[in-house]
C-alpha cells in the first residue's frame, strides 16, 4: 500500500523525477569523462569514450524509470490519446459506433435502472440498512412457500414482546377513500399505519408534524392524517396553510397534521395519498374487524433492528414469540422471515416480477449483442482499411501484443463513450416507459445511483472487449509481405467472421421481431375472445356501500330503489347487482364438499370461484342456461346456486347436477347449469364457478345493460345514486373499457418487445449496410474489371445481393428456431396463439428480409454504377 | 509490461542491492562514487554498468531502504547523495545472513569429494 502511494506520488511529480534522473546521469558522465581525461585522453576523445562506456543512456533512464512501473500507465495514457485522436479523425465511423453502443447499453441500463429501483433501492428513510420487512412463512399443502403479513393481534403481541427490534410498526392498505369536502370530490388512497410508523422509520414532516403513538389508541381513535407530497401538490395546490385545517373523508372530518417530504413515497410499490393512524380504521370503516380479529389477514409489518442485533437474532426471537402467540390465537405456528427495505418488499412480489424481468433482460441483452456485432463488424472493416498502417508498424518492430493492446484501448474508448451516452438515455427512457405503460404511478426512484453507474461501466467494458477483441486479433494477423507490397487485406469476399457476425445479428433481431409479431397476434386474438357473455352495451357501476357504513338492510333497500330508477332510464333493458364485477380482475374463492367426491379435496381440486348476484344477473349478461332453470324472484333468501359447466364436469361428471347439493359454508342446492363464461380475467382457463343469491349487504356492483344501439346518457346515470344518498359517489365503467384494461399486460409486453424489435432491426440493417458498403469498396477494382469484360449492371447487383441474401436467410432460419423457443416464455400473453403461428413468423421474416435487401441494395447500386474506365485508369 | 533491467552478468538478482547497501554503510555516496567503490573493493571484478546501477538505486528508494538528497561535492558540484535508512540496515542484515548461509552451503558442496 505504501509502495503504491510512493508510486503515485512519484507519478504526480514525474517531471521533477525525470529532471533529477537526467541530472544525476549527466553528473555521472561528466565524472567519467574527467577520469578519462586525467588518464590522458583529449577532451573530445574522452567525451566520446565516456558516452560509449556509459552504454545506452536512454535505455538506462527508461529502466530506472521502469522501476516505478508508471511506464505502463504512461503508455496506457498514450494509447488512449492516440485512440481518441484516431476516432476524432474518423467522425462518421466513431459516431456510428458510439451511437450503436449507446443504444445497446442504454436499453440495458434503462432496464437495470428500473430493476434497481424496485429490488435494490431502499426506502428513503433513516439508516435503511437497519430496517426490515417482517413476514410469516406459510407452507401450502402442495409444499409451496408463501410469505404473508400477520393479523393485527399477532402483530401487537410481537411488538409488545420483542427486545431485538427497536421498533415494530404495522401498515394496512385502506384502498381508495372518498374525499367529500364541499366542492371537492376525489378518491384518495390511504395507508393506515401504527402511530410510531414515522418515528421508527425516521421520517420527518416537511411541514407540520407526523402523528404519534398517543394518537393511535384503539379505544380513542383520532381523525388525523399526514399528506404525501404528491397529493399535497395535486389535491391542495401546494398550499402550506393546509396544515392544521380539516378535510372530509367519507363525510368524517380529519385534521391535516403535516406534509411529508417529496422523496418519501411510502413503503409500498404504489405511494398512498395520505397516512392515518391504524386506529382511524374504526372511524372510516366502522365494520372492519381488522384490528380485533386474529383470523383477519393481514397487516404488513416493518421494524428497525435494535443496536448491535443482526437479522438472524431478530428473526429467531420473533419466530419464538410468534409460535407462542399462535397457540394462544389458535393459529398455525409460522416462521418469521425478514427482508430488506426495498420498494418491491415482499418476496412474493419479487417472485412474481422475476420471470418477467429475466425475459426483459434477455431481450435487451440481445439488443446489446446485435450492437456489439455491429461495432465488431465496423472495427473489422476499419481494421482491413488500416492493414497498411498496421503492417508498417509491425514491420518497424512493434510487438503484435502491443498493437492489440492499442486497438483494444481504442475500442474501450468507444465503449466508454457509448456507456456515457447510454446513461444519458437511461435518464429519460425508464420514466417515459413507466409513465406511458404503468396502470398507476409507481413510487420508484429512477435517478441513477452508484449501482447503475457501476453496472453501466461493467457493461461498457464488457461490450468493448466483446466487440474489440476479435477484430484486434484478426487485424494484426497480417501478411507483412503482401501489406508492404500494397495489396494486403484486399481479399474480395467478406471473411467468415464478418459473415457469421452478420448472420447472428439477423438471427437475434428476428427473435425480437417474431416475439413482437406473436404478441400482436395474441392481442388481436384476445380482442376477439368470446368471454361467454354479451359485452356490448354493458355499463358497470361501482358503489362501495361498505365504506359508507351501510348495513345489509339499508344496502338492500338502497340497491332496490337505485335499480328501479336506473331501469326507468331510456334505453336500459335490464339491471342487476353482483358482489364481483364481471372481468374485474377480482374473484372470491371457496372450497366445497360434495358427497362422494371427497378425493378431490386431497389435490386441492375442490376449490371453486363464486359470485353473489341478484336474480336477473345471468339474463343481464346473456349467459345461457344449459340445464335446469335460472334464478327467480322467489328464490331470494334460499340457498340455491347455478353452477357453470366446468363445475358440473368436475363434481358430477356425466351426471345431471340439477337437484344435487354441495356445501361451502352452508349447503346449496343446484338449480341450474350455465354455459362457461370468463368471469375473472380474459383468456384464462375456465374455472369451476357458481353463482348464489346475494343478500345485498356487500353487493355494490351494478351491472346495467343498454340497448345494443348504445348511446347512453352517462351523466344522468352518475347522478342517480347521489340523488338517493349524498354520500354515495359511483364510479362508472364501460364493459369494453374493462376488457381493454384486461389486455394491459399484453399490450405493454408487445409495446416493449416491439420497441426493442425495431431497434434490433435498425441496428441489423445498419450492420448489413455497413458491411455491404465495405465489401463494395474493397471489390471496386474487381467489379470494374468484370464490367469492363462485359458484365451488366444487373449481374453486379445480383452478385452482391445473392451473397448477402445467403447470410440473411441462414440467420433468419436460426432466428425462427430461436424465436419459437423464446415464444413459449410469452405464453401468458399469447391468448392461445401458438408459438409456431405462421402469420406472425412469416410477416416478421418478410419485414426482416425486405429491410435486409434494402440495406444491401443501396450500396450495391453504387457498385453497379461504377464506370469501368475510371477503374482501369486507376490501375 | 516494462522490461526488467537485466542483472549484471554473474550477479544473482538482489545481490547488487546488497552490495550497494553495504557500501552505503560507510556514509552517504553518489552514484558515481558507489560504482567506483564497488570497482575498487572488488579489485575490478565487479564492474557495475550504469544500466544496472541506477535502476537498482531506484529500487532501493522505492523500498525505502535508501534515501536520496541533492548536495554539493567537495569540488563544488551538485550531486545526488544516497544514504542508507534503518529499514535498509535491517534489510542488509537479512541479506547478509542469507548470503552467509548460502556461501557456506556452496563451499561445502564444492569441497565435498
Amino acid at each position: 500500500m505504501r509502495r503504491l502511494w510512493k508510486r503515485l506520488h512519484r507519478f504526480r511529480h514525474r517531471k521533477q523525477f525525470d529532471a533529477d534522473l537526467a541530472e544525476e546521469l549527466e553528473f555521472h558522465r561528466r565524472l567519467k569523462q574527467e577520469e578519462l581525461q586525467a588518464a590522458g585522453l583529449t577532451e573530445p576523445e574522452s567525451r566520446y569514450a565516456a558516452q560509449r562506456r556509459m552504454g545506452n543512456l536512454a535505455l538506462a533512464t527508461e529502466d530506472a524509470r521502469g522501476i516505478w512501473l508508471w511506464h505502463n500507465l504512461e503508455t496506457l495514457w498514450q494509447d488512449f490519446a492516440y485512440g481518441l485522436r484516431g476516432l476524432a479523425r474518423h467522425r462518421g465511423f466513431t459516431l456510428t459506433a458510439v451511437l450503436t453502443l449507446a443504444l445497446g447499453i442504454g436499453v440495458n441500463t434503462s432496464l437495470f435502472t428500473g430493476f434497481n429501483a424496485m429490488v435494490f433501492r431502499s426506502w428513503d428513510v433513516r439508516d435503511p440498512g437497519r430496517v426490515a420487512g417482517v413476514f410469516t412463512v406459510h407452507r401450502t399443502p402442495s409444499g409451496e412457500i408463501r410469505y404473508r403479513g400477520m393479523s393485527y393481534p399477532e402483530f401487537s403481541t410481537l411488538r409488545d414482546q420483542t427486545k431485538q427490534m427497536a421498533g415494530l410498526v404495522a401498515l394496512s392498505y385502506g384502498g381508495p377513500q372518498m374525499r367529500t369536502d364541499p366542492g371537492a370530490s376525489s378518491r384518495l388512497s390511504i395507508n393506515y399505519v401504527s402511530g410510531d410508523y414515522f418515528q421508527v422509520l425516521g421520517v420527518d414532516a416537511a411541514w407540520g408534524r407526523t402523528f404519534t403513538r398517543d394518537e393511535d389508541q384503539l379505544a380513542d381513535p383520532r381523525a388525523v392524517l399526514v399528506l404525501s407530497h404528491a397529493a399535497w401538490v395535486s389535491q391542495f395546490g401546494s398550499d402550506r396553510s393546509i396544515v392544521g385545517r380539516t378535510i372530509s373523508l367519507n363525510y368524517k372530518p380529519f385534521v391535516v397534521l403535516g406534509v411529508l417530504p417529496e422523496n418519501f413515497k411510502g413503503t409500498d410499490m404504489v405511494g398512498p395519498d395520505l397516512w392515518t393512524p391504524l386506529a382511524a380504521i374504526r372511524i372510516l370503516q366502522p365494520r372492519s374487524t381488522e384490528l380485533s380479529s386474529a383470523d383477519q389477514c393481514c397487516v404488513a409489518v416493518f421494524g428497525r433492528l435494535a443496536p448491535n442485533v443482526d437479522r438472524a437474532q431478530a428473526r429467531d426471537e420473533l419466530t419464538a414469540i410468534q409460535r407462542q402467540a399462535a397457540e394462544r390465537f389458535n393459529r398455525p405456528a409460522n416462521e418469521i422471515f425478514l427482508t430488506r427495505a426495498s420498494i418491491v418488499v415482499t418476496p412474493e412480489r419479487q417472485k412474481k416480477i422475476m420471470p418477467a424481468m429475466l425475459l426483459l433482460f434477455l431481450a435487451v441483452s440481445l439488443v446489446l449483442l446485435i450492437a456489439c456485432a455491429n461495432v465488431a463488424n465496423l472495427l473489422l472493416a476499419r481494421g482491413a482499411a488500416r492493414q497498411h498502417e498496421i503492417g508498417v508498424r509491425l514491420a518497424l518492430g512493434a510487438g503484435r501484443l502491443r498493437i492489440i493492446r492499442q486497438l483494444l484501448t481504442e475500442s474501450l474508448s468507444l465503449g466508454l463513450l457509448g456507456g456515457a451516452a447510454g446513461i444519458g438515455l437511461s435518464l429519460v427512457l425508464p420514466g417515459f416507459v413507466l409513465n406511458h405503460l404503468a396502470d398507476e404511478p409507481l413510487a420508484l426512484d429512477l435517478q441513477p445511483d452508484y449501482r447503475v453507474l457501476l453496472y453501466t461501466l461493467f457493461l461498457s467494458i464488457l461490450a468493448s472487449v466483446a466487440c474489440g477483441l476479435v477484430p484486434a486479433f484478426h487485424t494484426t494477423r497480417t501478411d507483412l509481405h503482401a501489406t508492404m507490397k500494397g495489396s494486403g487485406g484486399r481479399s474480395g469476399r467478406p471473411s467468415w467472421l464478418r459473415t457469421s457476425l452478420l448472420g447472428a445479428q439477423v438471427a437475434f433481431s428476428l427473435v425480437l421481431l417474431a416475439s413482437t409479431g406473436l404478441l400482436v397476434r395474441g392481442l388481436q386474438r384476445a380482442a376477439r375472445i368470446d368471454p361467454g357473455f354479451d359485452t356490448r352495451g354493458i355499463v358497470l357501476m361501482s358503489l362501495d356501500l361498505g365504506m359508507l357504513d351501510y348495513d345489509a338492510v339499508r344496502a338492500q333497500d338502497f340497491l332496490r330503489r337505485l335499480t328501479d330508477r336506473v331501469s326507468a332510464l331510456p334505453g336500459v333493458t335490464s339491471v342487476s347487482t353482483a358482489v364481483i364485477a364481471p372481468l374485474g380482475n377480482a374473484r372470491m374463492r371457496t372450497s366445497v364438499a360434495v358427497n362422494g367426491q371427497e378425493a378431490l379435496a386431497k389435490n386441492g381440486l375442490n376449490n371453486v370461484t363464486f359470485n353473489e348476484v341478484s336474480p336477473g344477473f345471468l339474463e343481464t349478461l346473456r349467459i345461457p342456461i344449459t340445464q335446469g332453470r335460472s334464478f327467480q324472484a322467489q328464490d331470494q333468501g334460499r340457498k340455491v346456486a347455478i353452477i357453470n359447466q366446468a363445475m358440473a364436469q368436475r363434481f358430477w361428471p356425466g351426471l345431471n347436477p340439477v337437484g344435487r347439493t354441495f356445501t361451502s359454508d352452508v349447503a346449496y342446492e343446484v338449480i341450474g347449469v350455465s354455459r362457461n363464461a370468463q368471469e375473472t380475467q380474459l383468456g384464462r382457463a375456465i374455472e369451476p364457478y357458481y353463482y348464489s343469491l346475494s343478500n345485498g349487504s356487500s353487493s355494490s356492483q351494478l351491472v346495467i345493460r343498454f340497448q345494443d344501439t348504445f348511446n347512453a346518457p352517462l351523466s344522468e346515470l352518475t347522478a342517480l345514486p347521489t340523488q338517493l344518498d349524498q354520500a354515495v359517489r359511483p364510479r362508472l365503467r364501460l364493459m369494453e373499457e374493462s376488457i381493454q384494461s384486461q389486455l394491459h399486460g399484453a399490450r405493454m409486453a408487445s409495446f416493449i418487445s416491439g420497441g426493442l424489435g425495431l431497434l434490433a432491426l435498425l441496428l441489423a440493417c445498419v450492420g448489413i449496410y455497413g458491411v455491404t458498403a465495405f465489401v463494395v469498396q474493397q471489390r471496386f477494382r474487381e467489379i470494374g474489371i468484370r464490367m469492363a469484360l462485359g458484365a451488366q449492371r444487373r449481374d453486379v447487383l445480383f452478385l452482391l445481393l445473392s451473397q448477402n441474401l445467403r447470410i440473411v436467410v441462414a440467420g433468419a432460419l436460426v432466428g425462427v428456431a430461436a424465436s419459437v423457443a423464446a415464444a413459449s416464455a410469452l405464453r401468458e400473453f399469447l391468448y392461445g396463439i401458438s408459438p409456431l403461428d405462421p402469420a406472425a413468423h412469416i410477416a416478421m421474416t418478410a419485414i426482416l428480409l425486405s429491410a435486409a435487401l434494402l440495406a444491401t441494395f443501396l450500396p450495391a447500386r453504387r457498385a453497379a454504377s461504377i464506370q469501368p474506365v475510371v477503374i482501369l485508369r486507376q490501375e | 509490461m516494462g522490461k526488467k533491467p537485466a542483472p549484471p552478468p554473474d550477479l544473482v538478482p538482489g545481490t547488487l542491492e546488497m552490495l550497494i547497501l553495504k557500501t552505503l554503510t560507510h556514509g552517504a555516496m553518489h552514484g558515481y562514487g558507489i560504482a567506483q567503490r564497488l570497482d575498487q573493493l572488488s579489485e575490478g571484478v565487479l564492474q557495475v554498468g550504469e544500466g544496472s546501477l541506477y535502476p537498482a538505486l531506484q529500487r532501493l528508494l522505492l523500498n525505502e531502504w535508501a534515501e536520496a538528497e541533492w548536495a554539493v561535492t567537495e569540488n563544488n558540484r551538485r550531486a545526488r547523495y544516497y544514504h542508507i535508512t534503518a529499514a535498509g540496515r535491517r534489510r542488509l542484515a537479512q541479506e547478509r545472513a542469507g548470503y552467509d548461509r548460502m556461501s557456506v552451503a556452496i563451499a561445502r558442496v564444492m569441497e565435498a569429494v
Side-chain angles (χ1 to χ4, degrees), chain A residues 2-3 6-7 10 20-21 23-25 27-28 31-32 34-35 54 64 67-68 71-72 405, chain B residues 1-3 30 32 36 50-51 54-55 58-59 61-64 70 73 77-80 82:
Chain A
R2 205 177 153 73
R3 283 163 60 128
K6 285 198 78 148
R7 286 195 165 115
R10 165 126 204 197
D20 282 354
L21 195 60
E23 187 180 344
E24 194 173 10
L25 285 168
F27 170 75
H28 194 114
L31 286 186
K32 193 146 238 168
E34 281 163 23
E35 182 192 318
M54 288 283 286
I67 297 300
W68 298 84
H71 180 66
N72 277 331
R405 207 175 81 187
Chain B
M1 279 165 266
K3 287 194 193 80
H30 49 66
Y32 180 77
Q36 290 287 70
E50 292 70 27
Y54 285 93
Q58 298 291 324
R59 251 195 308 277
L61 291 181
L62 176 63
N63 288 312
E64 298 188 332
W70 290 95
T73 67
R77 280 203 282 235
R78 236 167 78 86
R80 183 137 74 155
Y82 293 83

Side-chain angles (χ1 to χ4, degrees), chain A residues 659-697:
Chain A
R660 297 175 195 266
T661 59
F662 65 88
T663 314
S664 142
D665 49 339
V666 295
Y668 287 94
E669 184 196 340
V670 177
I671 58 167
V673 178
S674 67
R675 202 176 70 188
N676 286 336
Q678 294 200 303
E679 285 279 357
T680 314
Q681 210 181 351
L682 212 54
R684 280 288 162 85
I686 299 284
E687 310 172 294
Y689 201 103
Y690 76 82
Y691 309 88
S692 61
L693 288 173
S694 140
N695 63 7
S697 63

Side-chain angles (χ1 to χ4, degrees), chain A residues 706-836:
Chain A
F706 284 82
Q707 279 163 0
D708 286 351
T709 51
F710 176 64
N711 193 6
L714 287 187
S715 56
E716 225 172 293
L717 199 54
T718 320
L720 283 179
T722 317
Q723 285 166 14
L724 290 172
D725 180 345
Q726 274 290 316
V728 177
R729 310 275 157 125
R731 260 185 314 169
L732 287 191
R733 206 139 80 128
L734 303 183
M735 192 73 226
E736 309 287 336
E737 285 172 5
S738 278
I739 291 177
Q740 285 308 309
S741 75
Q742 293 256 312
L743 300 180
H744 186 84
R747 211 172 306 118
M748 190 157 152
S750 62
F751 181 88
I752 290 178
S753 119
L756 290 176
L758 271 182
L759 189 58
L761 182 67
L762 184 76
L763 289 177
C765 284
V766 169
I768 293 171
Y769 179 90
V771 168
T772 315
F774 174 71
V775 168
V776 166
Q777 195 200 342
Q778 295 281 296
R779 295 176 75 175
F780 233 61
R781 207 165 48 153
E782 176 205 333
I783 293 168
I785 294 171
R786 275 172 193 263
M787 291 184 81
L789 292 178
Q792 297 295 309
R793 280 190 59 154
R794 62 186 152 83
D795 296 331
V796 173
L797 268 181
F798 180 76
L799 177 80
L800 290 166
L801 286 178
S802 68
Q803 191 176 347
N804 267 6
L805 207 58
R806 273 206 300 275
I807 303 172
V808 172
V809 167
L813 284 178
V814 177
V816 169
S819 48
V820 169
S824 53
L826 298 170
R827 210 171 274 277
E828 186 190 349
F829 297 125
L830 294 185
Y831 297 100
I833 290 281
S834 151
L836 287 167

Side-chain angles (χ1 to χ4, degrees), chain A residues 455-534:
Chain A
Y455 180 80
T456 311
L457 182 66
F458 169 74
L459 266 192
S460 309
I461 293 173
L462 200 70
S464 316
V465 174
C467 65
L469 198 59
V470 173
F473 273 94
H474 196 78
T475 306
T476 51
R477 201 182 53 206
T478 182
D479 176 1
L480 275 188
H481 191 65
T483 309
M484 298 316 284
K485 273 199 327 200
S487 58
R490 295 237 168 170
S491 60
R493 294 176 180 284
S495 69
W496 63 268
L497 198 58
R498 259 174 271 151
T499 310
S500 34
L501 280 175
L502 210 57
Q505 286 186 34
V506 170
F508 291 151
S509 33
L510 191 59
V511 171
L512 290 171
L513 283 175
S515 307
T516 313
L518 287 171
L519 287 168
V520 170
R521 290 270 297 153
L523 272 176
Q524 285 176 347
R525 162 75 65 92
R528 286 202 309 268
I529 286 179
D530 178 11
F533 57 89
D534 189 356

